[in-house]
Amino acid sequence: MDNIAGTKSSLTWAVHISVVVLVAMWVLPTLGLFVSSFRTGDQIVGSGWWQSLTTQEQQLSPIRIEGDETETNGAFVIEGNLFGNARTTISSWGTSSREPEAYEPGQTAELGDGVTVTVQADGGYVLSSPVTTAGERLPRIFASATTPPEFTTDNYKTVLFSPLAGQTIFQAFMNTATVAIPATIIPILIAAFAAYALAWMEFPGRALLVAAIVGLLVVPLQLALIPLLQFHNWLGIGKGYLGIWMAHTGFGLPLAIYLLRNYMVGLPRDIIENAKVDGATDFQIFTKIILPLSFPALASFAIFQFLWTWNDLLVALVFLGTGNDQQVLTGNLVNLMGSRGGDWEILSASAFVSIAVPLLVFFALQRFLVRGLLAGSVK
Amino acid sequence: MNPAIQALLTILIGVGGCLFYFYGSNLVLDKVLFPPRGPNAGRNINRANQIRPWLFLLPAIIALGLYLAYPVFATAWLSLNRQTGASSTFVGFANYSRMMSEDKFWESMTNNMLWLIVVPAASTAFGLLAAQLTDRIKWGNIAKSLIFMPMAISFVGASVIWKLIYDTKPADQAQIGALNAIWMNFDGGIGSVLLLKVLPALLLLIIIGGLGWLAWSMLRPILRGSEDRGGLFLMLLRLIVVAVSAWLIFTLARMLAGVFVADLPYGQPQTWLSLPFWNNFFLMAVLVWIQTGFAMVILSAALRGVPEDTIEAAIIDGANPFQIFFKIKVPQIMGTIVVVWTTITIVVLKVFDIVLAMTNGQWETQVLANYMYDKLFRANDWGVGSASAMVIMLLVTPILVWNVYNARKEMR
């Protein structure tokens, strides 16, 4: 803007830096959880996610020695490695929680009764005892070790396929899709016909109806919960998918009608009048001309409604049951936050499963979303 | 039946049913009721055209009436009744007075007022800043879409994301929450004083200054006694704005004093979500984070719509970038700023998921929508629950009236 007059602003650098800071503030929270979802529980608790790309020195949780005994030269020996991988390096270790850094790697610790244990830097250990240790509790090793960056997809396997809080995330995912897809498609058709009538047909009370819809846009759906639950019970459908589809349809209609009407009003009058002169009925005009031309507006509303129904918690809590076959992702996540609040490896992976679809939709169809926002905010 | 199959069937039945209804009813109208031929052809066409709009509108009107309009009245009625078992008795405003006597309700009201002021203001301000800054640079569109991204994330997902930031570990362990990790770097030295005392104080002073300016510009026409700038309603609105900003200035001035007096617990990891009063702001940060993208997108479009010649004229007159922004651009997009503000206000009034997921109203963070959910579905007290829902409705009503008024003005 400032270049119009031919002078380059001296603020350019400040602008670039400010935008970098802003973007960082808006991206890093999500990135933090994303990175965490690929770390093991120990790693998440041991260090901040921002350190996950550097080699870490940390106190590992105690590891108990285990393995098969072999008898050599009158001593019973157990050999093995503390770690599954070969990349962790021990810097110091001990055999009690009071002195976790008593020994250097390669040193030998005396455990009394002639039992000795030696731990190498790569985690390899040798436990040697003059009598058999079968059936006894073997000592634990407390080690401080440097661990190179390591990522795992196990968290996702865990949350997707093993039931946590009673239900697998995969099932919750399917439930959410079951709620969101019909609840997105059904209102579109109803709204499109209504919007056409409000935009292009003359009848008394039209202005009043438009005003009513603008008013209904902001009515909090909190008011609808109990009366509608009573209504659904009276109908005999109670809590279930049918009820939530109907509820989402009702709640989504004002925005749908408003968006579509605003868009349809802007379509060129000539096309519609020409079609009328040629003998087309309103029904034909609607299906053959208006509907195809309104595709951008239909797409924006569909995205809105999909994001809203997918992300919704309140309506799902009220109109769906809490059984495994009905609980949705957001509800499951809230339960997990209550029951597994500290298990970040589970929480972060579950959260990302629930965020993934909306994010995909968002990045793929962003331009429709922006257009819808611009048309939908009441001017 | 498998829900997925049920869903597929519903889509088919729903869409098919809609199409059948619209097509069929039009067919009946044209072929059976008022066929456009015979002796009354002209009259029939007119009649058919009078009825057709209502055929198009009928499903929408039924759905809207049943799912949005009727519940408002039903909830109003429920709030005047007391539910005992299956029967209900009319108790007048007893539910409201019961609600008013609860501390938790007043806590929710105060918190909601805080939310209503802070979240729209912060989101709009950040949105405006982001819109203006990204407009000038090449990678602005990428930056915009990244700032916009949280819009797609559910409130619950966002709560998980932010809970990790607010996480607390004991002092002798590594902090995995970003906020505590940053906090542990402050030791009370000169850097801490600059960042935690001087900087907030400056920010507070700027906000106080802005509010003072706002209050003065609202008050000036009234003091001058010029009646031509709007009727009683506008006058009332101005006085409300003045009163709210006076209260805010008072609160902020107290906070300003507090900033300097406060003895900050350096080196102690904080459990942010249970710090009374401040925890509200940590919850608000989540919503601000989500809503800024929305504000940015709308305001950025508005900024592009500002006529170039007004800006060129200002540059030729020697205005600096700040003057251009605050004196040329902002006044021209004031209407859009109000729209963004009111839209976010409505979102704030309904905020529920964030509080439920992060604190569930503990540690004095209750808000109205969560209070209502508590009453309706945990305490099973429909009377008080409906009464608090009516309070939310009451708070939305001014915006509702304003929107309808504007929409009608536009249609004329």
Side-chain angles (χ1 to χ4, degrees), chain A residues 2 26 44 193 223 232 245 311, chain B residues 10 67 75 136 152 176 289:
Chain A
D2 298 329
W26 259 258
I44 296 176
F193 275 95
L223 275 85
H232 284 172
W245 290 327
N311 288 338
Chain B
T10 310
Y67 277 84
T75 302
R136 305 156 151 230
I176 62 166
W289 181 70

Side-chain angles (χ1 to χ4, degrees), chain B residues 200-219:
Chain B
L202 276 178
L203 279 175
L204 283 174
L205 274 177
I206 291 171
I207 298 172
I208 290 176
L211 280 169
W213 177 82
L214 178 74
W216 173 239
S217 61
M218 286 284 146
L219 209 54

